[in-house]
Amino acid sequence: MKLQDTLSNSEQTLDISKKVRIYLCGVTVYDESHIGHARTIIVFDVLRKYLESKEIMVEFIQNFTDVDDKIINRAKLESTTAEQISSKYIQNYFTDFDRLNVKRATNYPKATEHIEDIRNFIKRLIEKDIVYVTKNGVYFSVSKFPDYGKLSKKKIDELQSGARIEVDEAKKDPLDFALWKFSDVEPVWDSPWGKGRPGWHIECSAMSIRYLGENFDIHGGGRDLIFPHHENEIAQSESFTSKQFAKIWMHVGMVTINGEKMSKSLGNIRTIKHVLDNWGPNIIRLFCLSGHYSKPIDYSEELLKENLIKWRQAETCYYELIHANNENHNNEIKSSVKETSDDFDNALKSDFNTHLALLAFFKLVKEVNYLAAEEKLGSNDAKIIIPEFERMLNILGLVIPKITSEQKQQIDNWIIEREQLRKEKKFQDADKIRDNLNEMNIELIDHKGKTIWMRKERIKADS
RNA sequence: GGUACUCUGGCAGAACGGUUAUGCGUGAGCCUGCAAAGCUUAUACAAGGGGGUUCGACUCCCUCGGGUACCUCCA
């Protein structure tokens, strides 16, 4: 599998000969998660599910930043503690992402639970004379790391001339960044240099190395983290270990609205909860996977709608498959399934192109729906198709709502009754049954010889 | 201002330098008791502008321009 690596700006082959270790920069828990967070996390969720489907072991670590100025400010605003705020939004995070069918990470380390690791990290950097202490905190000296700027392709002197960098007189260089900030206000921890709390970047270095070792496979996050966050992580970590840090840097493009990045300051946030309530998990996942992960994707009703239509086709396909019961046999099914399967895998193997993978998936969907509508889909065909269909569904993290066997029995009875009414040309009564079923999100599909049902996902935006 | 990325039909999005995919949408028709599902067919000046290399360029080079992101917290 090849992935575009931000650092080398080239495609790198992912080593799958042993366990794949992935670190994803998660969220700062001070507010609800939005659809931009969802995209990054869903991309990595699918990457992971794909690898696992190939029986490759994956160690997937995703952090929560639970100590940060934004959290502290929020706590002040709500006259509560930072701890209350972060635990509230961690819960909120899981509510959202469980609904999105995102598999839980191997571990979700928190900054506040790794203070000791962070202190040890800083200690070693002090021993190496790479950081220094001022009246405000402990700072990383960028000039001590010659490769600074290699990830974001920035030149130090150009950055320094930038007017927007805050000036802290105590710092030796405006680019130097805090590993430890002195403070007396909770949350606060002791350290050999003074009471305070960790800076933003240090937690990811400390925790990724703690959980994944000094040289792991993939480090990811949103594109907006390249600078300064990931640049600083590299500086710290490689100074700490004297080794290459992550092997592959994978960055997910922004979700935009009308071409503009979703952000607090612009006030154009769409929370996951909001989108989920309207569109449900499957459509959001399809939407997030509909473009190449590295490129921006524009949030619009139109695109969501397009994915809704596709999702309906996929649902139809599923129900056509499980209801297929005739004797027909299509010789070309086997090769067609094989082709889809190959296209799907090849798309993902080549820089994780989920768009092309979806194209392959929907080609199969269309083929099935066509055969079914023509009464040409045999049960043996279905037997060949279903495993592959479900394999792709699982990798993509799409879930068809299930139904109990009692409900199934009930539906079958309704269908028989409706058939009878239709035969008697009592169409109004027959339609009433169909309408009632629709109310329950059961849709009927009339084929020439038989009527099948499907359980449609209830989607608010579709009604 | 600097750096990176990007610019293909109404929208999304592909293509070894030589077949202008594909999906959605839209129009017409078929199927159906009616719907839904499905089908057929049509539709699109498609390539940001201008140069160049080439027998031939979406694909290579130059140039100009637009957009977005980052340069401050940000998935």
Side-chain angles (χ1 to χ4, degrees), chain A residues 29-137:
Chain A
V29 278
Y30 74 106
D31 207 343
E32 286 183 63
S33 303
H34 57 67
I35 190 76
H37 301 119
R39 152 119 111 146
T40 300
I41 286 158
I42 286 169
V43 164
F44 275 85
D45 184 52
V46 176
L47 172 63
R48 178 209 191 166
K49 283 172 172 158
Y50 174 67
L51 293 170
E52 287 178 343
S53 79
K54 297 290 176 196
E55 293 181 2
I56 297 160
M57 294 273 285
V58 177
E59 178 105 11
F60 187 76
I61 304 295
Q62 182 186 325
N63 72 304
F64 282 123
T65 298
D66 65 342
V67 56
D68 177 271
D69 290 349
K70 290 194 293 293
I71 298 171
I72 294 163
N73 291 339
R74 183 90 186 209
K76 239 182 255 167
L77 211 69
E78 298 186 12
S79 17
T80 177
T81 60
E83 203 273 327
Q84 288 275 325
I85 292 292
S86 60
S87 67
K88 173 179 167 187
Y89 287 109
I90 285 173
Q91 245 184 355
N92 194 277
Y93 172 93
F94 284 123
T95 306
D96 286 344
F97 284 88
D98 286 349
R99 282 178 76 192
L100 282 171
N101 299 315
V102 169
K103 184 174 176 183
R104 295 273 181 123
T106 315
N107 223 315
Y108 291 95
K110 302 184 191 99
T112 57
E113 290 173 1
H114 292 80
I115 298 296
E116 188 56 26
D117 287 327
I118 291 169
R119 279 188 296 230
N120 289 336
F121 202 103
I122 297 173
K123 217 176 277 173
R124 186 138 142 209
L125 291 180
I126 286 185
E127 284 160 20
K128 289 190 164 190
D129 193 30
I130 288 164
V131 306
Y132 59 92
V133 183
T134 76
K135 63 178 169 45
N136 296 325

Side-chain angles (χ1 to χ4, degrees), chain A residues 289-348:
Chain A
L289 299 169
S290 65
H292 190 267
Y293 73 84
S294 69
K295 292 187 181 166
I297 188 168
D298 203 52
Y299 177 94
S300 69
E301 294 275 310
E302 192 181 359
L303 261 186
L304 253 2
K305 185 96 188 289
E306 184 171 331
N307 285 299
L308 166 69
I309 289 160
K310 291 195 177 155
W311 179 239
R312 292 301 187 210
Q313 294 174 341
E315 284 181 314
T316 304
C317 173
Y318 173 76
Y319 284 100
E320 293 287 10
L321 285 170
I322 62 167
H323 287 117
N325 63 357
N326 74 41
E327 297 291 310
N328 252 309
H329 186 72
N330 295 278
N331 288 326
E332 65 285 7
I333 285 292
K334 232 178 195 151
S335 63
S336 176
V337 166
K338 173 86 167 64
E339 193 187 313
T340 300
S341 174
D342 288 348
D343 287 351
F344 186 87
D345 284 10
N346 288 334
L348 294 181

